[in-house]
Amino acid sequence: MAAFSHPLSSPSKDVLQPRIGASSFAVSSFASLQDVENKPASSRIWRPCALVDLMALGLLRRHSRCRRSPSKRWPKRTAVVRRGAEYGQEFVGEEVDQDLAESLQQRTLEALDLDFVLERLQALCYTATAAEMAIDPEVLLAQTPEEARALYALVVELTQLEDADLDLDAKLDIRTEVDQCRHGRVLEPPQLQKVSDSIEALLRLRNGLDGASARGVNIPLLMGHCQDIELPDRLLDIMLEAFQEDGELSLKKFPELGQLRERIRELEETCSKVMGEVLSSGKYSTYLSDDGYMQFGGRYVLGVKSRSKGKVGRLFDESRSGRVAYVEPYEVVQYADDLEQSKKALERMARRILGNMSLAISHAADALERCLKAAAHIDLARARLFLGEDMEGEVPTVGDDGIIAVRHARNPCLVLRGGKKVVGYRLELGKSSQCLLLTGPNAGGKTVVLKTLGLLALLARCGIPIPGGEAPRVDFFEVVLADVGDMQTIALGLESGLAERSVVSTQRQRAEKLSRKAVTRALNSCISIGRGG
């Protein structure tokens, strides 16, 4: 059953708290706390009403004006009701632990299928940071009406840009590399190339937005994020264009490396030429065990009979049997030594450059993280825009009066599943009516309507355009609570939801029990206050 406490008198104008129900299980109505505080005891009449069927949904909005001090007669009870508005905190009373609060919140998000929508949002993100943010309700949900309006304003600004203005197609997943540098590790070329590519992508993003602003496009919020994309000159000097397409350090960027590589190439050619001349001359033919030469560890050697190894050159190695010695001819020893020294010099120089790069990243770690966060916010806003387009959504008006007014609301999950003929609803709540009652047969659409209403309230806090028809209004609700008796899931279909319920885990059953206990306690608290208890 769904039970609601509601005063006979009109609700307080300062605290607008719609109650919606069509369903099984009790949702406490934290209704009109100001009425409880301000009215005399004789006029405090609370009338719970019971509804039986599938689902309960509660939308609560905090006070927008200053309240009088609560009556001293019921300080503890009043505090219990007030604490019910703390979404994500302890829900009712001091004895309720954090696990219970989290189970209430998680149950609501699952009941409304928010995870299905957020997975679609995540799929539209380019950057790794934005993808993580997209499926985290604690990060995604705005905490105030102003934050929700700012999220939508950012989405609207994106609609003014051309495709070339928003050059962001890189994953920008370099937090691990930045953290390693912060702890003093020298990165290898592939890792540093990844950082270099990400830095170049960040600069392209900033330059694109700067160009749009220079053309006169009004994008103040985007430019606010753009200003955070600022990196030290030292980092840019050493990292930009530092690698070639093959992953090697750029010879154009570091010409000293080019000189050493050229020297090494010349010495290798000289060694090969000398070895060829030694073999063609036949000078050591009587001492050789085979006709060609080979390279071991960068050294040019001949296979020589063991008894003649001192007559050819410098011994390098011997075969396991001891019958063949690998000897570096006297004619090539000097060139081979120069080649080895040049290779060591090249390696030292490359390690020094890699070390300087890693050090520069370490010094700029905070700036890089700030840039990645700014790019993630822009990327996430673009994903919101794309998801809204997929749902044929509109940016709603977001107030703080507890009003929902939509002309053609469609369930986002049904739309995203590809429904061609999703039924729309005209819903108004919070103006003249504070309660919405739905009745009808099983599988008649009641749950879908209520889920749609709750999900639109959550999407408004996420800054995602809603499929609500023209000029929708969905105000900011700090608390959204929902309970579905059979845990139907619109994302997978009614039959899948019922099947899922048949195999619900013990942990899920415990969470449901805790949720029911907490909400029932909240309801009893409200009724007790109304009776002057």
Side-chain angles (χ1 to χ4, degrees):
M1 82 174 172
F4 304 91
S5 305
H6 195 70
L8 287 178
S9 57
S10 60
S12 167
K13 188 176 181 180
D14 291 338
V15 188
L16 214 49
Q17 301 171 5
R19 309 291 182 288
I20 306 138
S23 86
S24 72
F25 182 49
V27 166
S28 67
S29 66
F30 302 94
S32 224
L33 179 58
Q34 194 171 20
D35 285 349
V36 177
E37 297 169 355
N38 295 344
K39 291 184 178 296
S42 59
S43 65
R44 295 191 192 100
I45 303 176
W46 297 65
R47 291 187 177 180
C49 64
L51 303 173
V52 179
D53 203 350
L54 295 174
M55 178 178 177
L57 172 66
L59 305 175
L60 287 81
R61 184 182 63 84
R62 280 189 176 179
H63 299 276
S64 59
R65 300 181 184 176
C66 296
R67 300 174 298 191
R68 298 179 184 178
S69 299
S71 171
K72 295 181 180 180
R73 186 175 178 181
W74 310 287
K76 183 175 180 180
R77 295 288 187 179
T78 304
V80 170
V81 178
R82 183 182 300 112
R83 292 181 68 175
E86 298 179 5
Y87 189 66
Q89 304 297 323
E90 292 185 351
F91 187 62
V92 188
E94 296 179 358
E95 68 276 13
V96 181
D97 59 20
Q98 186 64 29
D99 290 341
L100 174 56
E102 292 177 357
S103 71
L104 288 170
Q105 181 180 11
Q106 184 61 31
R107 182 172 176 80
T108 294
L109 300 182
E110 291 177 359
L112 298 178
D113 298 313
L114 180 65
D115 55 343
F116 177 78
V117 178
L118 298 190
E119 287 174 1
R120 293 298 185 95
L121 181 67
Q122 182 187 44
L124 294 171
C125 295
Y126 282 102
T127 65
T129 303
E132 291 181 3
M133 295 167 60
I135 57 173
D136 187 350
E138 292 185 3
V139 174
L140 200 63
L141 291 170
Q143 301 303 312
T144 64
E146 293 75 17
E147 287 184 19
R149 288 190 283 268
L151 292 176
Y152 277 125
L154 194 61
V155 171
V156 172
E157 287 186 5
L158 287 170
T159 62
Q160 305 176 54
L161 299 178
E162 299 176 1
D163 292 342
D165 296 332
L166 197 61
D167 189 349
L168 181 57
D169 57 2
K171 193 174 182 182
L172 301 180
D173 187 11
I174 58 172
R175 288 171 299 176
T176 299
E177 288 76 12
V178 172
D179 188 62
Q180 289 176 343
C181 290
R182 193 197 295 270
H183 289 84
R185 180 176 175 181
V186 176
L187 302 185
E188 296 300 321
Q191 295 172 295
L192 289 169
Q193 185 179 19
K194 183 179 177 182
V195 177
S196 177
D197 292 342
S198 296
I199 291 174
E200 292 178 2
L202 288 169
L203 294 182
R204 289 195 301 271
L205 174 61
R206 186 184 68 181
N207 293 337
L209 294 176
D210 283 339
S213 179
R215 294 198 316 269
V217 181
N218 186 28
I219 47 174
L221 295 177
L222 285 171
M223 291 308 298
H225 289 300
C226 187
Q227 290 175 0
D228 288 335
I229 304 177
E230 188 69 34
L231 293 169
D233 291 339
R234 180 186 176 188
L235 180 69
L236 299 179
D237 289 342
I238 195 171
M239 295 301 298
L240 293 182
E241 300 179 351
F243 292 90
Q244 302 173 162
E245 293 183 359
D246 59 1
E248 295 291 335
L249 288 169
S250 172
L251 302 183
K252 181 178 179 181
K253 180 80 172 182
F254 308 105
E256 62 275 19
L257 288 179
Q259 296 173 4
L260 277 174
R261 288 180 183 175
E262 181 62 24
R263 173 64 176 164
I264 290 172
R265 187 186 63 80
E266 293 176 353
L267 287 171
E268 287 176 341
E269 291 179 353
T270 301
C271 290
S272 297
K273 181 180 179 181
V274 170
M275 291 299 290
E277 293 175 350
V278 168
L279 289 174
S280 61
S281 67
K283 181 178 180 180
Y284 304 119
S285 58
T286 57
Y287 309 132
L288 301 181
S289 61
D290 50 59
D291 297 333
Y293 74 91
M294 60 195 76
Q295 285 184 271
F296 283 141
R299 311 299 296 201
Y300 293 79
V301 298
L302 298 172
V304 179
K305 298 173 184 177
S306 182
R307 62 179 181 272
S308 305
K309 57 186 177 183
K311 300 178 180 178
V312 177
R314 186 168 57 186
L315 178 65
F316 181 73
D317 200 358
E318 288 185 308
S319 66
R320 185 170 300 177
S321 64
R323 296 180 354 182
V324 178
Y326 300 103
V327 178
E328 195 172 49
Y330 294 119
E331 290 83 354
V332 80
V333 167
Q334 184 61 49
Y335 299 112
D337 288 344
D338 291 345
L339 177 59
E340 183 177 10
Q341 293 300 319
S342 297
K343 287 182 177 179
K344 289 181 179 179
L346 177 63
E347 183 179 357
R348 287 194 300 269
M349 183 176 295
R351 296 306 299 176
R352 184 175 69 251
I353 293 173
L354 299 180
N356 289 337
M357 287 182 173
S358 300
L359 184 62
I361 294 172
S362 174
H363 290 164
D366 292 340
L368 279 168
E369 290 179 356
R370 185 171 59 252
C371 291
L372 296 175
K373 187 176 181 180
H377 281 298
I378 296 172
D379 184 24
L380 189 56
R382 182 173 61 176
R384 289 186 176 103
L385 173 62
F386 289 165
L387 185 62
E389 291 177 349
D390 291 343
M391 297 187 296
E392 299 180 358
E394 297 286 339
V395 173
T397 299
V398 180
D400 53 3
D401 297 322
I403 294 175
I404 295 180
V406 287
R407 300 180 181 179
H408 190 69
R410 295 174 298 152
N411 186 274
C413 294
L414 293 179
V415 176
L416 292 174
R417 285 181 59 195
K420 301 299 182 181
K421 296 181 180 180
V422 179
V423 176
Y425 318 97
R426 183 182 181 92
L427 299 172
E428 291 188 1
L429 191 68
K431 292 183 178 179
S432 59
S433 62
Q434 299 302 305
C435 184
L436 174 65
L437 306 182
L438 301 175
T439 62
N442 290 341
K446 303 184 300 298
T447 300
V448 175
V449 174
L450 292 182
K451 280 196 172 191
T452 300
L453 198 59
L455 193 51
L456 294 185
L458 289 176
L459 293 189
R461 287 186 57 180
C462 294
I464 299 173
I466 65 172
E470 295 183 1
R473 174 171 179 176
V474 180
D475 281 2
F476 180 90
F477 293 92
E478 189 168 4
V479 179
V480 179
L481 296 175
D483 184 83
V484 182
D486 55 15
M487 285 309 291
Q488 299 173 26
T489 169
I490 295 176
L492 299 177
L494 177 60
E495 294 180 357
S496 298
L498 294 175
E500 177 182 326
R501 181 176 178 245
S502 66
V503 294
V504 67
S505 65
T506 303
Q507 182 178 6
R508 180 64 165 278
Q509 293 176 359
R510 178 178 178 273
E512 292 179 4
K513 183 177 180 180
L514 290 173
S515 300
R516 294 169 189 268
K517 182 179 179 182
V519 179
T520 302
R521 188 184 297 116
L523 172 64
N524 293 334
S525 299
C526 291
I527 296 175
S528 179
I529 294 173
R531 292 173 178 171

